[in-house]
Amino acid sequence: MKPLCAGLVLLLAACVPVLQDVDPARPPEAGNWGPNPVAVEWWYVSGYLPDDGIAFHWAVFKGYFTPRLGPAFLGFLYPGPFHASHLAVTDLRAGRKLFDERFDFRQDAPRGDAVIEFPPLRIEQGDWRLVQEGASYRLVAGPLDVRLTPKKPAVVHPPGYSGTGEVGRMYYVSYTRLGLEGRINGRAVQGEAWMDHQWGEQLSGRDALWDWFGLHLSDGSDLMLYRVKKPPGAGQTDGEVVQLAGSRTDPQGRIAGLRNLRMTPLERWTSPSGRSYALSWRVEAEGLELELAPVRRDQELLTTSTGVAYWEGPVRGRGTWQGSPVEARGMGEFVAGTYSPVAMNLGTLLPGR
């Protein structure tokens, strides 16, 4: 029995992929948009189209069971990867929000039905897909059928990752401004969007929470703001901030970190589920003063596929950059944490973005 057991262990171990961690001394390449051998990875597209009264958010997540997740035997039984997709579309004129999701961890498809390939980038889960077509991308998911064309090159956000060693890190690259045209909810739309790719070892929603903004400014620049936190302890409203990171991509596509960044919550909102989110903010940095507020408050998403509760919605604001007035519009994302850690729905595996 002992040789048989040893052989079985070796066979199972051979099925488990070797996963990499984020190395803070080695920032990623801006052109890294393909799948990576990491515990958690996601691709994200969002847009606020004020002229059309539409906001949307689409994301696909890839993850593996690892010993850090526990119990370790799941990594042998289900070597993965596993996938989940989220889609939220808000009709701001009608005051309606659609949320839908896909996930491949189910009895009839235990090894998954998703496809992620590169190059060119091709992501599919069921009938949802993001496909690179030359210099553009086509996103088709539910009521979305849009073409996305980068207006600036992809960038690496300083210092190259979000998070810390304590809560986990994620490499971070973006297209901060893409032209968008197509159809949403059956009507023609056009405007601008934001596209992210993050990958690493952070168990988001469980070990790390965050407050995030992706903003387009009226002077042609773009801002990324990231406040990474520990989950709050008993009796706490908010968790300890372990990283504060921000970047500005100028109109020519050059990126630089924001110095002396401060993000101050101004107003909290309690969702119908009872969770509290800071939705209005004052942002200050060297050369920057900005106040931000939500366009619509009721934007909480309670996900079955990932078991994470988060707020995702359009924001706008105004302030100054280097003394000149600017207006801001874009999307905010605030992760409240896990709420349904069911082992068989990836509830403790994947993040809320």
Side-chain angles (χ1 to χ4, degrees):
M1 291 297 292
K2 288 184 179 180
L4 178 60
C5 291
L8 181 59
V9 169
L10 289 174
L11 178 62
L12 291 172
C15 297
V16 179
V18 177
L19 302 178
Q20 300 174 357
D21 290 337
V22 170
D23 183 350
R26 299 183 63 183
E29 298 291 332
N32 187 330
W33 287 87
N36 293 275
V38 294
V40 177
E41 184 166 21
W42 66 76
W43 293 259
Y44 163 97
V45 180
S46 71
Y48 169 36
L49 314 177
D51 292 342
D52 297 299
I54 292 286
F56 73 90
H57 150 69
W58 169 91
V60 63
F61 312 97
K62 174 177 73 72
Y64 294 87
F65 286 114
T66 68
R68 184 178 173 189
L69 283 170
F73 72 85
L74 287 174
F76 296 119
L77 297 179
Y78 303 100
F82 306 104
H83 309 85
S85 300
H86 294 172
L87 171 67
V89 180
T90 301
D91 185 330
L92 296 166
R93 294 173 181 170
R96 291 195 301 265
K97 176 188 65 183
L98 162 76
F99 176 65
D100 197 3
E101 52 192 330
R102 301 278 188 273
F103 55 103
D104 59 13
F105 198 86
R106 59 180 194 260
Q107 291 181 350
D108 62 333
R111 290 297 181 267
D113 60 356
V115 175
I116 302 178
E117 297 176 348
F118 181 85
L121 182 63
R122 175 172 168 249
I123 302 174
E124 297 183 1
Q125 187 159 27
D127 56 353
W128 296 356
R129 66 185 184 275
L130 175 70
V131 180
Q132 186 174 0
E133 299 178 344
S136 300
Y137 299 84
R138 186 180 178 192
L139 174 59
V140 179
L144 297 179
D145 187 350
V146 296
R147 183 168 298 278
L148 306 158
T149 304
K151 292 186 173 183
K152 301 177 183 179
V155 294
V156 177
H157 294 284
Y161 60 88
S162 66
T164 67
E166 181 180 13
V167 301
R169 297 185 179 95
M170 303 291 287
Y171 285 129
Y172 190 12
V173 301
S174 294
Y175 285 109
T176 61
R177 193 177 293 234
L178 306 95
L180 176 150
E181 59 180 359
R183 303 188 73 82
I184 300 178
N185 289 336
R187 67 176 189 258
V189 297
Q190 62 179 5
E192 294 178 324
W194 183 289
M195 182 169 164
D196 275 349
H197 181 206
Q198 292 186 253
W199 66 101
E201 72 271 12
Q202 184 185 95
L203 302 181
S204 309
R206 193 184 82 174
D207 291 349
L209 311 180
W210 64 71
D211 305 302
W212 172 92
F213 292 96
L215 302 171
H216 296 141
L217 268 57
S218 54
D219 67 352
S221 65
D222 311 313
L223 296 182
M224 188 285 298
L225 307 170
Y226 221 142
R227 203 175 78 134
V228 182
K229 307 173 292 185
K230 295 180 183 178
Q236 292 180 314
T237 301
D238 212 353
E240 176 190 351
V241 177
V242 296
Q243 185 196 32
L244 195 58
S247 64
R248 178 180 182 267
T249 304
D250 72 13
Q252 290 72 44
R254 297 168 298 200
I255 191 168
L258 293 173
R259 297 182 179 180
N260 300 319
L261 176 63
R262 297 181 298 279
M263 294 175 61
T264 306
L266 299 179
E267 182 183 7
R268 302 193 71 89
W269 171 75
T270 300
S271 73
S273 75
R275 291 169 178 82
S276 176
Y277 297 88
L279 299 186
S280 297
W281 294 78
R282 177 182 299 114
V283 179
E284 300 164 287
E286 190 172 305
L288 176 69
E289 293 185 2
L290 194 63
E291 288 201 4
L292 300 168
V295 177
R296 183 175 184 269
R297 293 189 174 196
D298 189 5
Q299 290 290 121
E300 183 182 48
L301 307 179
L302 301 176
T303 67
T304 300
S305 56
T306 61
V308 174
Y310 65 109
W311 190 98
E312 184 86 33
V315 299
R316 59 191 172 197
R318 60 181 55 191
T320 60
W321 169 254
Q322 301 294 0
S324 297
V326 291
E327 294 186 355
R329 65 189 188 193
M331 296 290 283
E333 182 176 279
F334 315 120
V335 177
T338 57
Y339 77 99
S340 180
V342 179
M344 300 304 285
N345 75 353
L346 296 183
T348 59
L349 175 61
L350 294 170
R353 282 190 59 211

